[in-house]
Amino acid sequence: MDLSLTPTDRADSAAGTPVMKVVLAQPRGFCAGVERAIEIVERALVKFGPPIYVRHEIVHNRHVVEDLRARGAVFVDEIAEVPDGAITVFSAHGVARKVQTDAADRALPVIDATCPLVAKVHSEGRRYAGQGREIVLIGHAGHAEVEGTIGQIDGKVYLVQTVEDVAALDVADPDKLSYITQTTLSVDDTRGIIAALVDRFPGIVGPDVRDICYATQNRQEAVRHLAELVDVILVVGSRNSSNSNRLREIGAELGRPSYLIDDASHLDPSWFEGVRSVGLTAGASAPEVLVKGVIDGLRKFGPVEIDTLAGTPEDVRFKLPAEVSDA
C-alpha cells in the first residue's frame, strides 16, 4: 500500500477540511503492447531522425500522440500520404494485409509496432480460415484493430458485438465455423457472446480464454475492486480508447458514478460534492503522468490521501523489432 499525505494535505486536514481518500487501481495505465509501440516510435526518431510516419494513431491516447507529434512523428490515415522512402510505423492496433502490400509495393521501410497479442489473433484467424472455416470476430465496429484483423484474413468474417448479433448470423456451414476476439475485450466482455455462439453453433471452435489480453482483464478486475471501496470512479483515457470506455462502463454498471477524462482539466467540482473516496484508474494507453496530474487536480478541491490497491502484478515485456533494438 502507498498511503500518503503531502504537507499541504496535512495542514488542510488540521484546519478542519475533510480529507478525500483517493484509491489507485493496480494495475492501471500502459500495458506492455502500448509501451512497446511508443518506444518503437521514440527509438525510430532517435535512430533515423524526424519525420517518422505512423499509419494511424500509434495508440489511442491524445496526449501520447501530441507528444510524439511534437518530437517529429507524423500521423497519417493512409499509406498514400507517406512520402517515398520515408520510415513508416504500423500502429499497435495492427493493419490489414492490403496496407502491408501497399507499403511493400512502394518499398517503404516499415517498422511494425503491432502488439504481439493482436498479431496472435491475426495468426489464429488465418489458421482457422486455412481450415476452410468462416470466422466470427467478436469486436467493435470501426475500431482500428477490428479493421486490421478483418483485413488479415482471407475468407468470410462476420463481426458480432452483442448476443443479439449472434442470433442474426446467417453462415454458410454451421459445422465449419470459428471465432476470434478483439484484444481490448476481456473474458468477462466476451463470455456471454461466446456462450451464445456455442449454444447456436455447437461445432464452433475458438482460442483458449487465456489467449485474451491479460492487461484488459486485469484492469477491469481492478475497477471492480475499486467499486467496492469508493464513492466515485475516474478513468484517465481518451474517448476513442475502447478499453478506457469499458472501464468507465464497468464502474457505472456497478452503481458508482464513473467519468472518463483525458486529464485533470476535465475534472468537474460537482462530481465530488459530499464524496469522501474516489477510485482512480487509467486505460492501457494512458501514461502515468496523467494520473499524477489528476491527483494534483483533486488536491485543488481539498486535502487528498492516497491509497493503492495490491492488484495483479504485471511483468510482461515484448521484444522490440530489430530495426530499432539498437537505437
Side-chain angles (χ1 to χ4, degrees), residues 23 222-235 245-260 271 275-280:
V23 184
V223 166
R224 289 187 174 89
H225 191 181
L226 278 182
E228 298 173 354
L229 304 172
V230 301
D231 302 321
V232 170
I233 292 176
L234 301 176
V235 180
N245 276 283
R246 184 63 185 130
L247 294 177
R248 187 208 63 77
E249 290 170 0
I250 289 171
E253 288 167 2
L254 294 173
R256 295 291 177 267
S258 301
Y259 306 98
L260 176 63
W271 297 343
V275 169
R276 299 301 301 272
S277 59
V278 174
L280 179 56

Side-chain angles (χ1 to χ4, degrees), residues 237-286:
S238 292
R239 298 287 171 183
N240 61 340
S241 167
S242 172
N243 73 89
S244 298
N245 276 283
R246 184 63 185 130
L247 294 177
R248 187 208 63 77
E249 290 170 0
I250 289 171
E253 288 167 2
L254 294 173
R256 295 291 177 267
S258 301
Y259 306 98
L260 176 63
I261 57 174
D262 267 314
D263 52 43
S265 68
H266 292 172
L267 291 172
D268 185 333
S270 67
W271 297 343
F272 311 106
E273 293 175 3
V275 169
R276 299 301 301 272
S277 59
V278 174
L280 179 56
T281 189
S285 52

Side-chain angles (χ1 to χ4, degrees), residues 185-193 212 217 220-221 224 246 250:
L185 301 178
S186 71
V187 174
D188 296 324
D189 292 331
T190 58
R191 182 180 288 115
I193 297 175
I212 291 176
Q217 186 70 21
Q220 291 188 10
E221 289 176 355
R224 289 187 174 89
R246 184 63 185 130
I250 289 171

Side-chain angles (χ1 to χ4, degrees), residues 278-302:
V278 174
L280 179 56
T281 189
S285 52
E288 183 67 9
V289 65
L290 298 181
V291 174
K292 294 177 180 177
V294 169
I295 293 172
D296 290 340
L298 290 172
R299 285 195 165 105
K300 295 178 181 179
F301 307 141

